[in-house]
Amino acid sequence: MTDALKRLSEEGVAIWLDDLSRKRITSGNLAELIDQQHVVGVTTNPSIFQKAISGGDGYEQQLADLAVRKVTVDEAVRMITTADVRDAADILRPVFDATGGQDGRVSIEVDPRLAHNTAATIAEAKQLAWLVDRPNTLIKIPATKAGLPAITEVIGLGISVNVTLIFSLERYREVMDAYLAGLEKAKAAGLDLTKIRSVASFFVSRVDTEIDKRLEKIDGEEAKALRGKAALANARLAYQAYEEVFSGDRWAALDKAGAHKQRPLWASTGVKDPAYKDTLYVDDLVAPGTVNTMPEATLQATDDHGQITGDTVRGTYEQAKADLDALAKLGVSYDDVVQLLEDEGVEKFEASWNDLLESTEAELKRLAPSEA
């Protein structure tokens, strides 16, 4: 083992775990990761819950109770997922208290089927905040066009938000704008801005997966040389945008009122291509005031052989822009890629949610008491 995770934390990167299950909670594993591997937060998504609950370990008694009560499958899924998030939030509460509310956070996502419905997303976010009822929860809202006004409204109500499924630099700027607008609403309503937190989940590995696929169809050394560079370039330029927005006049007024910056969160940091080092999206995205949410395999790989050499983001903006410009010259359309990834991201989470509903419904039927 190395001291890589400790060094990463010291560089200002909050380490969050991109996974949750009841077994991880009840076995003491989550508490162990917090205690021994510098984990200070947890993110969940529909795919994570689908995998956890379909695996079944630890859920049978609650499912049996829900079956007896004859609840709907939608209600059952929400009772199960919010129970896990509540328990994880309680385990992370000491971290939340020790960091003044910055970390010790657990994220739970609005129903992905609502991603293109602003009013329903707002209503769902309010309901989730009420259901979990823990101050260290973040409600995840996707950064779709319909999601942007929902982010503003929910932040304006004083609910902390994790904005998810951000792929493009333009959309990221819109997300930061939505956050600032929400803070301004909250301030106008007389709310305490010091209690509102937000992260913006900027997705990383999927960008390389899609762009590399397109580069493989282009002959030449230049295309070959650009493989594995787009995701880092995109994320680094996102950090540049973050620095610009949170040093401007609009932010200064909110900062004076006690508001907190919306931290960039590097999401999808598990490497998909075995040709790349498995800690690529950790080692090469070190910057102060960021979060890196890692699947456990990436967390353990970083612990074992991560190479944390200081800030690997600031000072790279010129090269990052050059890399994206080179892709455009080869005919790889950035706008097309990021829109495709957003659409696919919503579709994948929706498919996972539907799979979760189906498997939960099957369990409820299996466990339902006979009518005899």
Side-chain angles (χ1 to χ4, degrees):
M1 296 296 160
T2 67
D3 286 328
L5 294 173
K6 181 173 182 283
R7 288 203 301 274
L8 193 60
S9 297
E10 290 169 350
E11 290 292 340
V13 181
I15 300 165
W16 291 8
L17 177 71
D18 193 27
D19 190 53
L20 187 64
S21 67
R22 190 152 299 175
K23 186 177 181 184
R24 195 181 283 285
I25 291 165
T26 57
S27 68
N29 173 261
L30 177 58
E32 191 176 278
L33 292 174
I34 295 163
D35 184 50
Q36 297 178 15
Q37 294 189 284
H38 304 275
V39 169
V40 293
V42 168
T43 49
T44 68
N45 62 46
S47 299
I48 284 169
F49 278 129
Q50 191 270 332
K51 183 181 169 190
I53 297 168
S54 299
D57 204 350
Y59 297 98
E60 183 124 339
Q61 185 57 59
Q62 189 178 10
L63 280 163
D65 291 343
L66 292 165
V68 170
R69 289 175 50 215
K70 298 182 178 177
V71 303
T72 66
V73 65
D74 284 85
E75 185 184 352
V77 166
R78 271 311 180 207
M79 290 300 102
I80 293 166
T81 56
T82 53
D84 280 0
V85 169
R86 193 180 305 114
D87 288 346
D90 287 344
I91 293 168
L92 278 154
R93 184 61 189 263
V95 177
F96 174 81
D97 292 337
T99 60
Q102 174 162 274
D103 288 305
R105 296 275 177 176
V106 186
S107 298
I108 184 168
E109 191 146 350
V110 296
D111 185 332
R113 297 172 297 179
L114 308 177
H116 301 295
N117 185 326
T118 302
T121 294
I122 294 166
E124 170 95 342
K126 289 159 69 177
Q127 171 78 350
L128 283 174
W130 176 81
L131 267 177
V132 177
D133 192 28
R134 294 294 185 272
N136 50 330
T137 309
L138 290 170
I139 307 303
K140 288 180 82 173
I141 297 175
T144 56
K145 278 292 184 187
L148 295 171
I151 293 158
T152 295
E153 188 65 27
V154 172
I155 290 288
L157 294 169
I159 297 170
S160 295
V161 172
N162 176 344
V163 183
T164 188
L165 290 176
I166 309 170
F167 295 95
S168 82
L169 295 167
E170 180 185 2
R171 184 56 55 83
Y172 179 42
R173 285 185 179 274
E174 291 174 338
V175 164
M176 290 188 283
D177 182 72
Y179 174 61
L180 295 181
L183 288 175
E184 287 159 354
K185 284 189 82 159
K187 183 183 174 187
L191 298 182
D192 182 357
L193 300 192
T194 66
K195 296 196 181 313
I196 303 171
R197 295 281 184 167
S198 184
V199 294
S201 295
F202 200 86
F203 278 55
V204 184
S205 67
R206 295 186 195 182
V207 175
D208 271 344
T209 300
E210 181 58 34
I211 287 182
D212 285 357
K213 195 163 62 179
R214 298 183 184 208
L215 287 172
E216 282 169 18
K217 296 175 183 173
I218 302 170
D219 287 330
E221 288 304 309
E222 196 177 356
K224 199 173 177 183
L226 284 168
R227 290 185 76 251
K229 291 191 173 178
L232 290 175
N234 200 36
R236 286 164 170 172
L237 291 174
Y239 192 83
Q240 181 185 35
Y242 157 78
E243 288 188 305
E244 287 172 8
V245 170
F246 289 100
S247 62
D249 292 341
R250 188 180 181 192
W251 167 248
L254 291 163
D255 184 35
K256 200 173 174 183
H260 300 285
K261 293 177 182 178
Q262 181 186 53
R263 287 185 293 172
L265 178 151
W266 310 130
S268 183
T269 55
V271 171
K272 306 289 193 292
D273 188 333
Y276 303 149
K277 63 176 180 176
D278 54 3
T279 58
L280 176 66
Y281 305 125
V282 179
D283 297 350
D284 290 14
L285 286 176
V286 178
T290 58
V291 179
N292 193 313
T293 187
M294 310 177 202
E296 188 171 16
T298 304
L299 178 76
Q300 301 302 352
T302 302
D303 193 20
D304 183 64
H305 52 266
Q307 297 177 317
I308 309 304
T309 56
D311 190 330
T312 50
V313 174
R314 292 181 296 184
T316 67
Y317 305 145
E318 198 174 316
Q319 183 60 53
K321 186 160 189 324
D323 287 342
L324 292 189
D325 287 345
L327 285 165
K329 283 176 188 168
L330 287 177
V332 177
S333 169
Y334 176 86
D335 290 343
D336 181 64
V337 167
V338 293
Q339 188 58 56
L340 174 73
L341 290 172
E342 181 186 306
D343 293 343
E344 282 184 351
V346 173
E347 287 165 12
K348 283 175 182 174
F349 281 170
E350 191 172 329
S352 293
W353 194 254
N354 287 330
D355 287 345
L356 174 56
L357 291 172
E358 285 175 21
S359 57
T360 302
E361 188 170 35
E363 282 296 285
L364 290 172
K365 283 178 181 171
R366 182 179 73 81
L367 295 165
S370 64
E371 297 297 329

